Amino acid sequence: MMKNFKKIATILGVCTLTAAGVMGCGGSSEEAADSGADTGSAEGTSDSADASGEDLSGTVSMAGSTSMEKLANAAAEAFMAKYPGVSVTAEFTGSSAGVEAVLSKSVDIGNSSRNLSDSEKEEGAVENIVAIDGIAVVTNPATTTEDLSKEQLSQIYTGEITDWEEVDGDAAPIVVIGREAGSGTRDAFEEILEITDKCKYASELDSTGAVMAKVASTPGAIGYVSLDVLDDSVKALMLDGVEPTEESIKSGDYFLSRPFVMATNGEISAQSEAVQTFFEYLSSDEGKQVVKDAGLITVD
C-alpha cells in the first residue's frame, strides 16, 4: 500500500513539474531545479508517507478470545497512535464467539486463541496467525509439587489423580480449575492433552483473570492460563522438566503452546483498507515489538 502511494506521489510530482514548465516558461532554470529537488527529495517522499498515515480513516472491530485481551488492546492503542483517523475497538467474548461474530460480519476480526476448526474454515473464516502463546499450568503458591509429566497432568484433569501426594507433593486434595466451554485456552489445552470432553472441573471460569484469582486464593488449586499473564500470585509448574518460557516454546521442548489467530471473513486482501493496514502493521517490525511487549512469541 505504501509503495503504491509513493509511486503516485512521484507521478504527481512529475506532473507538477510539467505543468510548471508549460505555465511558467519564463521562470528561471534555478527555480525549476529547486522545485524538482523539493519534489523528488527523500524528505518529500517521507512527508508524503507520513501524510498517508494521517489520511487513513475507518474502523477496525474485533471480538473474541479473553486470552488475547492484552495483545488486542496493545495493538489497537499503538495502531491508533500511528493512524489517528482509524478507530479500533475490541470486545472479549471468547474464541468461538469471536469467530461466530466475524462469520456473521458483525465484526471485522474474530480473535481466537486456538486454530480454527474445519467447519469454521468451510464457512469462510480465514486463519491469520499473528502470535504464538504458551499455556502455563499454575497452582496455588503453597503447593509443593514443582513438576508434572504430560500423563500426570492429563490424569489430574480427568480425575484419575486427586491428591497432590500422588505427584510428589504434600497431601492435599487437588482442586481442578478450568475455563468455560468455548474458551480457546480450554480447547487448546484439552486438545493438546487429548482429553477433550473428559475433564472433571471443580470450577469453570469465564476469563483468564478469573482463573488466576481462583487459583491464587484456593489451597490445592491447579489451573491453566496464558503465559503472558503470569505473576507472583501463582506458581507456574514445569512440565516434563521444562519451564514455560519463550525459548522452550520456540525449541518445541515445552508442549503446551497454541496460536493467537485474528480470523477474517475471507482473505485479508478482501477486507477494508483500514483492516488490511492493521494486518500490515502487525507484521511490521513495529508491530512485532508490540507482540513481544505483550509477552508473546512473534511469527517469523
Side-chain angles (χ1 to χ4, degrees):
M1 180 186 298
M2 198 63 71
K3 292 180 179 179
N4 291 336
F5 188 93
K6 291 178 180 178
K7 290 179 181 179
I8 293 170
T10 303
I11 293 169
L12 289 175
V14 173
C15 292
T16 301
L17 290 178
T18 303
V22 173
M23 298 176 65
C25 294
S28 68
S29 60
E30 182 178 349
E31 289 173 342
D34 288 342
S35 176
D38 290 343
T39 304
S41 67
E43 182 178 357
T45 302
S46 176
D47 289 343
S48 296
D50 291 340
S52 71
E54 296 175 0
D55 292 343
L56 182 66
S57 62
T59 61
V60 178
S61 56
M62 295 183 282
S65 172
T66 63
S67 297
M68 291 177 66
E69 181 173 357
K70 185 175 182 180
L71 172 62
N73 284 338
E77 182 179 349
F79 185 78
M80 287 189 290
K82 189 176 183 69
Y83 299 95
V86 180
S87 173
V88 183
T89 58
E91 296 180 353
F92 306 101
T93 55
S95 296
S96 295
V99 178
E100 289 175 7
V102 79
L103 285 173
S104 67
K105 300 184 179 180
S106 59
V107 296
D108 299 308
I109 296 171
N111 289 336
S112 174
S113 50
R114 58 167 173 77
N115 289 109
L116 299 186
S117 66
D118 290 340
S119 62
E120 288 169 338
K121 292 178 181 178
E122 288 170 2
E123 290 182 56
V126 174
E127 181 176 278
N128 308 299
I129 299 175
V130 297
I132 299 171
D133 177 44
I135 300 175
V137 174
V138 295
T139 64
N140 182 272
T143 302
T144 57
T145 299
E146 301 288 338
D147 187 10
L148 291 174
S149 68
K150 186 174 183 179
E151 182 179 9
Q152 287 173 329
L153 182 60
S154 298
Q155 290 175 333
I156 286 173
Y157 270 85
T158 56
E160 297 172 63
I161 293 176
T162 59
D163 198 290
W164 285 109
E165 68 177 345
E166 299 178 66
V167 285
D168 299 325
D170 294 336
I174 300 175
V175 182
V176 179
I177 309 299
R179 289 293 305 280
E180 82 287 3
S183 159
T185 311
R186 172 171 168 165
D187 288 345
F189 179 82
E190 294 183 358
E191 183 177 339
I192 292 169
L193 291 178
E194 299 180 347
I195 55 173
T196 301
D197 298 327
K198 298 177 182 178
C199 292
K200 307 295 184 183
Y201 292 109
S203 296
E204 298 179 40
L205 305 176
D206 62 2
S207 74
T208 299
V211 172
M212 287 283 284
K214 186 70 172 179
V215 171
S217 62
T218 306
I222 185 172
Y224 47 81
V225 297
S226 225
L227 184 66
D228 66 302
V229 303
L230 287 180
D231 59 32
D232 294 337
S233 69
V234 296
K235 180 168 78 173
L237 297 183
M238 291 187 290
L239 297 179
D240 285 337
V242 181
E243 293 183 359
T245 65
E246 178 177 340
E247 291 72 23
S248 64
I249 291 171
K250 280 187 172 180
S251 68
D253 294 326
Y254 186 80
F255 64 81
L256 274 183
S257 64
R258 41 88 183 264
F260 272 4
V261 174
M262 288 190 174
T264 50
N265 193 329
E267 298 294 338
I268 294 174
S269 59
Q271 309 306 311
S272 69
E273 183 179 14
V275 172
Q276 289 184 51
T277 305
F278 183 71
F279 277 103
E280 288 174 7
Y281 174 78
L282 285 175
S283 64
S284 70
D285 290 340
E286 188 176 343
K288 288 181 178 180
Q289 189 58 52
V290 172
V291 171
K292 292 178 181 178
D293 290 343
L296 301 168
I297 301 169
T298 58
V299 179
D300 298 322

